Amino acid sequence: MWAGASTVHGGLDDEELRAHGLARDDVMDFSSNVNPLGTSRLVRKAAAKADLSAYPDRQSLDLREALSSRLEVGVDEILVGNGSTELIHLLARMCLGPRRRCLILGPTFGEYETAATLAGADVHFVEASAARGFAWSVDAATQAIENVRPSLTFLCNPNNPTGVYVDRDFVKRLTTAIGRDGLLVLDTSYVPFAEAPWDERSLLTCGNVVLLRSMTKDHALAGARLGYLLAETTTVERVRQLQPSWSVSAVAQAVGLAALTDDAHVTAARSLVVEAKAYLHAQLSALGLRVLDSAANFVLVRVDDAGELRRELLCRGIAVRDCASFGLPEYIRIAVRRPDDCALLAGALREVLRRG
Ligand SMILES: Cc1ncc(COP(=O)(O)O)c(C=O)c1O
């Protein structure tokens, strides 16, 4: 069994599709949260031009330099990874081990727990409740930090799957409580879709913060695998020493560089997400479903039995995320796609709910 096998994710699973007599092209995927406009033309052209015959640069230097000038962060404060997932696992290996403790603000992305467990750590959670719209209490979170004294804390912002987006003060309170004996990983994978984002870079001066960014969501590069982290130079160097050589392919580096020149694609996607999210909200609310407010490009929706509903929709060629693996068996997560696609989803949901 490979390491990732224990984490449940959205996205299409070929074995399951075949069991339903479906192929990938038969299914409209609302279960993975990538840019609804897909991969940009400019990026696809860069992928086609990448040199497949030579080993890629092990340091992703061109890409780090491009990120550095764009983000005004030192080249040595950036580490590129094979998706942010690789970096999550490397950070867990670096900070955790037997008798070390990891704190996770949940319910959230499952890979944090998997990485911490594989590293042999004790895993603790601060769980947000449905009654509070899944907003964490900052007092409960800082208290948990005092009690657990974690070496590594994970906070996803905006959070997957709830869409909750905490402000800078919330994060500062956590970094202060963590102190210099621990590290806070702030996963900002979905910030590019937030309407009113705040700039996290000033947190780097705290010295105990790692900012984690994925390029697979905003630029629709999930198949290419690309992410990076920003942190103090010494932290970057420690994580880098754990990274296998050539883990970021030549194609990933080439598409990453091209993506950085294509802001317009992400800006267009963000506007589309705002429009389609409002539409989805209205349509699903009219069906009597509770749709939670979300700062990201997905929404959490309360249903009776998420597993059953997901199966019914899949038979109709629509994939949504059953949130049982997040500990939320009464919720589905829906990625925001183009309004036309959202209309098809709303229609299918109407049909399934009427039959039920
Ligand atoms: C919050 C969060 N972080 C990280 C990832 C992993 O992204 P990547 O494709 O960069 O490995 C995901 C993927 O779903 C995610 O939801």
Side-chain angles (χ1 to χ4, degrees), residues 9-10 32-33 81-88 108-109 111-112 156-160 187-190 212-217 221-222 225-228 298 333:
H9 289 297
S32 58
N33 307 317
N82 183 283
S84 54
T85 301
E86 180 191 35
L87 301 170
I88 290 167
T108 192
F109 184 49
E111 208 67 42
Y112 311 140
C156 184
N157 198 40
N159 186 38
N160 173 11
D187 183 341
T188 62
S189 294
Y190 296 106
L212 192 62
R213 296 183 169 184
S214 171
M215 292 184 71
T216 68
K217 323 290 180 195
L221 298 176
R225 316 299 307 123
L226 190 63
Y228 61 95
F298 50 80
R333 189 194 67 203

Side-chain angles (χ1 to χ4, degrees), residues 66-116:
L67 285 166
S68 165
S69 56
R70 182 192 173 89
L71 302 171
E72 295 170 345
V73 167
V75 178
D76 295 340
E77 294 173 303
I78 304 170
L79 181 69
V80 180
N82 183 283
S84 54
T85 301
E86 180 191 35
L87 301 170
I88 290 167
H89 282 262
L90 295 179
L91 285 161
R93 262 177 71 198
M94 179 180 88
C95 297
L96 301 172
R99 290 180 297 285
R100 292 284 184 103
R101 291 170 299 279
C102 176
L103 184 69
I104 298 173
L105 279 80
T108 192
F109 184 49
E111 208 67 42
Y112 311 140
E113 182 180 3
T114 302

Side-chain angles (χ1 to χ4, degrees), residues 2 21 39 48 76 112 137 218 228 233 263 269 274:
W2 79 92
T39 315
D76 295 340
Y112 311 140
S137 140
D218 48 353
Y228 61 95
T233 317
D263 282 340
V274 170

Side-chain angles (χ1 to χ4, degrees), residues 139-190:
D139 291 332
T142 51
Q143 188 59 57
I145 290 166
E146 302 293 338
N147 297 341
V148 172
R149 303 304 325 153
S151 304
L152 191 61
T153 300
F154 283 104
L155 169 61
C156 184
N157 198 40
N159 186 38
N160 173 11
T162 59
V164 166
Y165 190 36
V166 300
D167 61 16
R168 184 195 312 273
D169 285 350
F170 184 103
V171 182
K172 282 289 282 181
R173 291 270 308 269
L174 299 198
T175 61
T176 305
I178 288 167
R180 287 313 297 244
D181 294 336
L183 211 54
L184 173 73
V185 176
L186 184 65
D187 183 341
T188 62
S189 294
Y190 296 106

Side-chain angles (χ1 to χ4, degrees), residues 44 101 298 318 335 352:
R44 280 184 277 121
R101 291 170 299 279
F298 50 80
I318 287 179
V352 171

